[in-house]
Amino acid sequence: MGVLVVAAHDGKAVRANVANAVTAASQMDPDVTVLVAGSNCDDAAKSAASIAGVTKVLQADDAAYANWLAEDIAPLVVKLAPNYSHVVMAADSVGKNIAPRVAALLDVAQVSEAIQVVSPDTFVRPIYAGNAMATVQTADKIKIVTVRPTNFKAAAGGGSAAIEKIGGEGAKGLSSYVGAELSKSERPELTSAKIVVSGGRGLQSGENFKMLETLADKLGAGLGASRAAVDAGYVPNDYQVGQTGKVVAPDLYIAIGISGAIQHLAGMKDSKTIVAINKDEDAPIFQVADYGLVGDLFQLVPELTAAIEKK
Amino acid sequence: MKVLVAVKRVIDYNVKIRVKADNTGVETANVKMSMNPFDEIAVEEAIRMKEKGAATEVIAFSAGPAQCQETIRTALAMGADRGVLVQTDAELQPLAVAKLLKAVVDKEQPGLVIVGKQAIDDDSNQTGQMLAALLGWSQGTFANKLNVADGSVEVKREVDGGLENIKIKMPAVITTDLRLNEPRYASLPNIMKAKKKPIETLAPDALGVDVAPRLKTLKVEEPPKRKAGIKVKTVAELVDKLKNEAGVI
């Protein structure tokens, strides 16, 4: 039957996490088809075809798919789904928006944010902000699964899957796209960065985040934040790492002025090496940190920035 | 316009949860329960709509055991007008809750349904989208800001790259993100008043909904524990460890 991976993209290329979703999908069934829906999405379809392990790419070009509105994309996926045993999406803001709509239209359950494929019908997923791991089994004929990209290796490039063009379903007229206010940054994307520098309430202001930007740029790192820092308006919402924000698992995570609430730990505790800089030596962040540095961040961060050779 | 909000009774977000020794789930006996924080934001948004004159009535819905009455009372104390409880001791999964909600929506005919984007217990992030699908309605998920005007809602959404603006036709389902508003605390007089507000109790059977779980939980385990590392004294020591021990810079 095979797996249908629904790929988000920016028109030019599929998102990096699609390669992770393909790896997860191939553990459910080696026959992996990727759906690229969009408007003039030839390049995105080609990028999907180049992911190793992809058997086939379905390209659905329709003006209605230009902005990935759930009301318009879901019917297309629902129409294709009966040809597959699984429909897989990365658990990002696109997958989380669309997959449950697809599942309900098919009258099947969804497995959210799987971190491990035990068998084609059994998955491990975190619950309670990752403080417990549930192994769940689905008996539904079509299995709808969102997967947490950081828990699956990205599939390599070099593939050359065939691209089949299929028609679109048009717009349902329920919703329309107005525009976006996207954070502009030259830094690596948070969820795929090798190093992440993250700041919390301890930074005390948005202005002080500049200090972390300097450090991040020297390390070639992505920049993140705790919920407290986002709520306080220091940085935009897309910086948030945690249970309800982004989940990251870089080689190095540097938590600065972050106390380490369980909701934050849920988003970063799979990082390979964790460094914490905090003035409170009892802060919970030190319980997960490999290297802790107790002291005033306003003194230590510039010192650290100076000590690191520019890459 | 009526606004329906859904509120879930969950383990309080401050509680450190414990996995049951027999690995069948998480210990809920003698644990503090509260309204799911994202649902508080949903209640607050609905009440503000009523205060601005955009909504005429706010109905608080919950599904689960009899104790969910308390969660509905909390919503009533915040300012909701009345409650609907679908009472059952059965395990409820998101698809089942969406079906129960749909049955109540069919009866009440609200112009908007506002729910939390996810519950902090199962972290599924499904119910709102599923409800929109079952109703054939539009969905405004992960809402950061709402503006209701002329039969549609402008929704500012929190997405991976920042914020996105969409316009959706009403009736619609909204799911709340953290920055939509800051929920109020119920005042003592309002808590007293809430005790007199009506709560209707229904059974899933009476609504014609099969709530049987679709996912079988085989086991629930503790996550692998991360060991606390060491404290370094200086920045120089930290840089040395990162270079020569961890090899990450």
Side-chain angles (χ1 to χ4, degrees):
Chain A
M1 289 282 283
V3 185
L4 181 68
V5 174
V6 182
H9 61 88
D10 63 3
K12 294 184 190 73
V14 294
R15 288 188 177 184
N17 63 23
V18 173
N20 306 81
V22 165
T23 299
S26 63
Q27 292 172 10
M28 302 171 205
D29 187 314
D31 184 5
V32 177
T33 300
V34 176
L35 170 66
V36 177
S39 181
N40 300 320
C41 53
D42 283 356
D43 291 343
K46 277 180 206 149
S47 79
S50 75
I51 299 172
V54 174
T55 320
K56 187 161 121 188
V57 172
L58 298 178
Q59 180 186 348
D61 243 308
D62 190 321
Y65 303 148
N67 295 295
W68 277 79
L69 294 162
E71 295 82 355
D72 297 330
I73 298 276
L76 171 69
V77 180
V78 167
K79 192 181 137 198
L80 297 170
N83 304 322
Y84 301 91
S85 58
H86 298 73
V87 175
V88 170
M89 292 189 80
D92 58 17
S93 63
V94 172
K96 288 174 179 176
N97 188 36
I98 292 171
R101 192 168 178 108
V102 171
L105 290 172
L106 292 167
D107 192 28
V108 299
Q110 176 185 311
V111 176
S112 287
E113 241 167 289
I115 59 165
Q116 191 193 329
V117 180
V118 178
S119 72
D121 67 358
T122 305
F123 307 88
V124 178
R125 60 176 304 264
I127 54 176
Y128 291 93
N131 288 297
M133 295 294 158
T135 303
V136 296
Q137 186 177 40
T138 163
D140 283 321
K141 214 171 144 238
I142 304 171
K143 295 159 183 61
I144 311 288
V145 187
T146 63
V147 297
R148 184 177 281 186
T150 50
N151 287 84
F152 298 92
K153 253 190 148 153
S160 55
I163 299 173
E164 183 188 325
K165 295 203 176 183
I166 57 170
E169 297 287 293
K172 300 281 157 203
L174 284 172
S175 53
S176 57
Y177 178 81
V178 179
E181 303 156 36
L182 301 181
S183 302
K184 286 202 177 70
S185 171
E186 299 296 307
R187 288 182 200 94
E189 205 269 314
L190 200 49
T191 55
S192 55
K194 290 252 184 303
I195 302 178
V196 171
V197 173
S198 239
R201 207 198 297 272
L203 267 294
Q204 294 174 12
S205 75
E207 186 64 20
N208 289 337
F209 253 83
K210 293 219 171 93
M211 201 163 67
L212 301 198
E213 290 175 8
T214 316
L215 174 61
D217 290 344
K218 236 177 168 183
L219 288 164
L223 201 53
S226 69
R227 177 190 169 183
V230 176
D231 282 358
Y234 301 169
V235 286
N237 63 282
D238 53 299
Y239 281 45
Q240 187 181 327
V241 172
Q243 177 185 18
T244 65
K246 288 181 181 158
V247 176
V248 301
D251 292 342
L252 174 61
Y253 187 89
I254 307 181
I256 298 170
I258 292 177
S259 62
I262 52 171
Q263 290 81 5
H264 184 76
L265 302 184
M268 46 66 82
K269 66 183 174 189
D270 290 336
S271 305
K272 233 179 251 162
T273 300
I274 297 174
V275 170
I277 300 178
N278 203 298
K279 65 176 181 210
D280 174 11
E281 64 177 319
D282 296 322
I285 191 77
F286 288 120
Q287 288 163 22
V288 299
D290 299 283
Y291 305 111
L293 189 52
V294 180
D296 177 12
L297 68 91
F298 294 100
Q299 181 203 325
L300 295 170
V301 172
E303 222 181 288
L304 177 61
T305 307
I308 288 163
E309 294 142 36
K310 188 154 176 98
K311 280 203 169 177
Chain B
M1 174 183 76
K2 289 187 198 173
V3 177
L4 185 87
V5 293
V7 295
K8 186 176 186 184
R9 181 173 178 266
V10 298
I11 294 181
D12 187 85
Y13 79 103
N14 276 315
V15 171
K16 177 137 183 45
I17 59 117
R18 275 185 306 128
V19 172
K20 283 185 186 166
D22 63 1
N23 293 116
T24 55
V26 164
E27 196 58 71
T28 53
N30 303 315
V31 172
K32 186 185 178 202
M33 306 295 282
S34 300
M35 186 190 296
N36 176 42
F38 286 96
D39 300 345
E40 289 183 351
I41 297 171
V43 175
E44 177 65 35
E45 196 65 17
I47 297 167
R48 288 187 191 185
M49 283 181 186
K50 195 184 166 195
E51 287 167 348
K52 280 193 298 195
T56 52
E57 189 183 32
V58 177
I59 307 161
F61 164 102
S62 193
Q67 294 92 320
C68 294
Q69 291 252 3
E70 297 161 21
T71 316
I72 292 177
R73 288 280 170 219
T74 305
L76 299 178
M78 288 173 73
D81 297 293
R82 61 187 170 92
V84 177
L85 170 62
V86 179
Q87 194 176 324
T88 171
D89 289 324
E91 181 197 347
L92 292 177
Q93 293 180 350
L95 184 61
V97 176
K99 287 178 179 178
L100 294 172
L101 266 164
K102 179 184 182 290
V104 173
V105 167
D106 287 342
K107 225 171 82 168
E108 299 281 356
Q109 299 287 316
L112 273 184
V113 178
I114 311 180
V115 305
K117 78 163 179 182
Q118 81 189 69
I120 60 163
D121 50 4
D122 64 15
D123 284 333
S124 287
N125 194 335
Q126 297 175 6
T127 305
Q129 297 89 314
M130 287 181 156
L131 174 63
L134 297 176
L135 290 165
W137 288 8
S138 58
Q139 65 186 50
T141 54
F142 325 145
N144 175 287
K145 201 175 171 197
L146 296 180
N147 186 26
V148 179
D150 298 333
S152 62
V153 194
E154 293 162 9
V155 188
K156 193 182 283 292
R157 307 178 56 230
E158 297 200 3
V159 296
D160 294 327
L163 295 163
E164 176 185 276
N165 297 303
I166 58 169
K167 194 170 176 181
I168 59 176
K169 270 206 183 128
M170 284 167 65
V173 177
I174 303 292
T175 80
T176 62
D177 217 316
L178 291 167
R179 263 69 59 172
L180 183 59
N181 60 50
E182 256 184 73
R184 70 193 66 189
Y185 290 102
S187 67
L188 191 59
N190 285 343
I191 292 171
M192 300 310 290
K193 257 193 258 168
K195 291 187 177 162
K196 297 204 183 83
K197 291 181 180 175
I199 298 179
E200 181 186 3
T201 303
L202 302 166
D205 289 349
L207 294 169
V209 175
D210 174 12
V211 296
R214 300 291 190 84
L215 297 180
K216 194 166 141 197
T217 300
L218 302 181
K219 61 183 172 186
V220 174
E221 296 166 296
E222 296 266 359
K225 275 248 166 11
R226 202 176 169 109
K227 282 191 300 249
I230 56 159
K231 293 251 170 71
V232 292
K233 292 253 181 315
T234 63
V235 165
E237 190 186 349
L238 174 63
V239 172
D240 175 66
K241 294 276 186 200
L242 291 178
K243 250 186 213 159
N244 302 319
E245 196 172 86
V248 286
I249 61 169

